[in-house]
Amino acid sequence: KMVINKLFGNVTNKKIAILGFAFKADTNDTRESPAIFICKELLVEGAFLAIHDPKVNESQIDFDLGKVGQENRSNWSYSNDLLKTYDNCDAIIILTEWEEYKKINWDFVSNKMNSPSWVFDTRKIVSPEEVKNYDFNFWQVGLGNNI
């Protein structure tokens, strides 16, 4: 709900990069992963999702999204190339604390995304100082406010 509110109360036709689908880094285990619920909610609200996870494969994501994912299959895609995941996105939601998400090149990403764009860091792995030099709105768990 907070993501939807920050994106002007509507995510219909907005593209959102989902970074991480596993419940924690260094595993392909998705049992009880918050990403499942969040992705389902965003799909129901009309968002387009580009989902990336280094170890969770597309068939597992398809299984976990279940009926909601199948009914909205044209609204989500699996991305195995992190650098292409950001193309024309309106927001990024970091849901798993993978090491490669801690090393994102924000200069590169800012040139790939739409403007204005949001970065939502639910794992507290992004330094606010790193993103404040780019044209991002930023929300981080524990910080709460955008920069």
Side-chain angles (χ1 to χ4, degrees):
K1 300 266 184 232
M2 187 269 306
V3 170
I4 294 167
N5 288 336
K6 296 283 189 187
L7 292 171
F8 309 107
N10 187 349
V11 293
T12 301
N13 297 323
K14 292 188 177 144
K15 185 176 177 188
I16 301 172
I18 302 296
L19 302 187
F21 203 82
F23 86 97
K24 69 176 186 173
D26 302 319
T27 183
N28 65 353
D29 190 349
T30 61
R31 289 175 295 171
E32 299 184 27
S33 173
I36 298 168
F37 173 78
I38 291 167
C39 288
K40 284 181 177 181
E41 289 292 311
L42 292 169
L43 287 170
V44 167
E45 292 292 329
F48 292 96
L49 306 180
I51 304 171
H52 178 273
D53 190 285
K55 290 198 177 181
V56 179
N57 62 37
E58 183 174 7
S59 61
Q60 183 64 49
I61 293 169
D62 190 40
F63 176 80
D64 288 334
L65 292 178
K67 185 177 179 183
V68 171
Q70 292 164 2
E71 290 173 354
N72 296 281
R73 187 56 179 104
S74 63
N75 282 25
W76 71 271
S77 63
Y78 173 76
S79 178
N80 59 4
D81 184 341
L82 181 58
L83 298 180
K84 291 183 180 177
T85 304
Y86 311 114
D87 290 347
N88 300 309
C89 281
D90 299 288
I92 295 170
I93 305 175
I94 302 170
L95 296 174
T96 309
E97 64 281 8
W98 287 101
E99 194 63 34
E100 62 196 274
Y101 301 158
K102 296 175 185 176
K103 300 174 183 174
I104 292 173
N105 178 337
W106 294 108
D107 184 47
F108 173 84
V109 172
S110 68
N111 290 312
K112 293 293 206 170
M113 293 181 65
N114 297 328
S115 185
S117 54
W118 276 88
V119 175
F120 298 94
D121 178 11
T122 71
R123 307 308 277 180
K124 205 166 186 173
I125 62 171
V126 175
S127 167
E129 290 75 33
E130 286 183 55
V131 296
K132 72 179 178 183
N133 296 322
Y134 302 98
D135 191 24
F136 292 115
N137 294 298
F138 182 70
W139 179 91
Q140 185 176 62
V141 68
L143 180 61
N145 296 323
N146 62 308
I147 61 169

